[in-house]
């Protein structure tokens, strides 16, 4: 049976791969991103999906605009069966540099507030229907704070905790919340990383695994699974050993670099 799937951050990378997988499964897809012209170009390249794609050019940081988008989506297409809050950014920062405080603010607004703003318009309707799935994008970076990566690690730790809280709130109403935590995926967010990226995945492989987790009714999934083992080991390391292990490691490029 065809589902209605909404995906934010769908103009490239993971979001586009998740949307493509849904279309291949025969679902209807609502795509949300700031760069709506990129969404339109991609949608027009898929004539086989014509009539099954709706586009909204909305910034997830604009909570009022996201609420309006949600109301318009429900009015035009119905309540989504799956909402995937995928929009996110990853930029290195140095807290000693005043300009990088803006990097922290932008990252938290997009990766955390944007996630909540994506879910908000649909929660009440899903609860009333007693069905629906909300998918939040976490990261294995949520488990330990990596030097030079404070904004991203903090935002993903907050996103994971938020989704866990929301899961408990929604479960009595028949609404599922899934947190998907990627390892390294070959997207524009990671292609400039100056350090090794073990178990690097293509967006398509990641999307296939994520959809298996969605369809299985999972509540939390690290993709790929070997990264879950690595993340757990890193979490168990004493701080002194963890600090020595990452001392001198190349850092995520900053916005000004």
């Amino acid at each position: 049976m065809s589902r209605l799937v909404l995906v934010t951050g769908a103009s490239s990378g993971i979001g586009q791969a998740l949307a493509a997988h849904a279309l291949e499964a025969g679902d209807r897809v609502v795509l949300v991103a700031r760069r709506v012209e990129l969404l339109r170009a991609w949608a027009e390249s898929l004539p086989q999906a014509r009539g099954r794609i709706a586009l909204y050019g909305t910034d997830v940081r604009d909570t009022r605009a996201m609420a309006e988008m949600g109301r318009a989506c429900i009015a035009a297409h119905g309540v989504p069966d799956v909402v995937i809050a995928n929009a996110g950014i990853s930029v290195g920062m140095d807290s000693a540099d005043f300009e990088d405080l803006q990097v922290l603010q932008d990252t938290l607004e997009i990766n955390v507030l944007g996630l909540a703003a994506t879910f908000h318009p649909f929660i009440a309707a899903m609860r009333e229907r007693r069905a629906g799935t909300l998918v939040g994008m976490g990261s294995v970076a949520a488990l330990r704070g990596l030097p030079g990566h404070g904004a991203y690690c903090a935002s993903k730790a907050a996103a994971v905790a938020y989704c866990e809280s929301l899961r408990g709130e929604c479960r009595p109403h028949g609404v599922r919340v899934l947190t998907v935590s990627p390892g390294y995926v070959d997207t524009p967010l990671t292609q400039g990383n100056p350090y090794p990226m073990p178990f690097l995945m293509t967006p398509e492989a990641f999307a296939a695994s994520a959809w298996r987790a969605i369809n299985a009714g999972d509540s939390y999934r690290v993709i790929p699974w070997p990264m879950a083992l690595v993340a757990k080991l890193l979490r168990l390391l004493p701080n002194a050993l963890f600090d020595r292990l990452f001392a001198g490691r190349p850092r995520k490029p900053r916005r000004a670099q």
Side-chain angles (χ1 to χ4, degrees):
M1 182 178 178
S2 175
R3 298 171 296 186
L4 180 63
V5 177
L6 183 142
V7 185
T8 64
S11 58
S12 65
I14 286 175
Q16 194 169 97
L18 288 165
H21 197 283
L23 289 168
E24 290 170 5
D27 295 328
R28 296 176 295 139
V29 174
V30 176
L31 305 179
V32 182
R34 290 184 300 110
R35 301 177 296 177
V36 71
E37 67 282 356
L38 294 181
L39 291 181
R40 186 170 292 109
W42 183 66
E44 290 174 353
S45 73
L46 303 171
Q48 71 276 18
R50 186 170 291 117
R52 292 193 288 123
I53 302 178
L55 309 178
Y56 292 90
T58 312
D59 188 335
V60 297
R61 293 175 295 183
D62 189 335
T63 56
R64 290 188 181 277
M66 287 296 288
E68 292 172 4
M69 179 280 297
R71 287 191 291 268
C73 173
I74 292 173
H77 311 288
V79 180
D81 299 288
V82 181
V83 173
I84 304 176
N86 167 76
I89 62 172
S90 176
V91 183
M93 71 170 293
D94 182 349
S95 294
D97 190 322
F98 179 77
E99 299 299 325
D100 278 7
L101 295 181
Q102 186 62 51
V103 170
L104 177 61
Q105 179 173 324
D106 292 344
T107 304
L108 291 172
E109 285 182 352
I110 295 172
N111 294 3
V112 185
L113 178 61
L115 184 147
T118 299
F119 291 159
H120 160 73
F122 307 107
I123 292 174
M126 284 183 170
R127 286 176 174 174
E128 183 177 354
R129 188 180 60 187
R130 299 194 64 80
T133 300
L134 304 170
V135 182
M137 205 58 63
S139 171
V140 293
L143 296 179
R144 299 286 319 228
L146 301 175
H149 218 3
Y152 185 72
C153 292
S155 72
K156 289 305 182 179
V160 170
Y162 169 78
C163 286
E164 187 168 38
S165 296
L166 186 63
R167 187 175 74 238
E169 296 167 13
C170 289
R171 185 174 180 178
H173 304 280
V175 179
R176 295 192 297 113
V177 178
L178 163 63
T179 307
V180 177
S181 286
Y184 293 112
V185 183
D186 187 11
T187 70
L189 290 184
T190 62
Q191 287 165 359
N193 289 347
Y195 42 78
M197 294 182 284
F199 312 115
L200 182 68
M201 302 182 74
T202 65
E204 293 74 20
F206 170 82
S209 293
W211 273 108
R212 283 194 291 272
I214 294 169
N215 294 332
D218 288 357
S219 60
Y220 183 83
R221 177 76 68 89
V222 175
I223 302 172
W225 68 264
M227 282 301 295
L229 300 180
V230 172
K232 287 180 179 178
L233 288 173
L234 288 177
R235 190 62 185 162
L236 292 173
L237 286 180
N239 287 346
L241 182 56
F242 177 83
D243 292 346
R244 284 199 298 271
L245 181 64
F246 283 89
R249 182 176 186 259
R251 299 189 177 188
K252 182 81 176 180
R254 294 163 57 210
R255 182 174 286 172
Q257 294 177 316

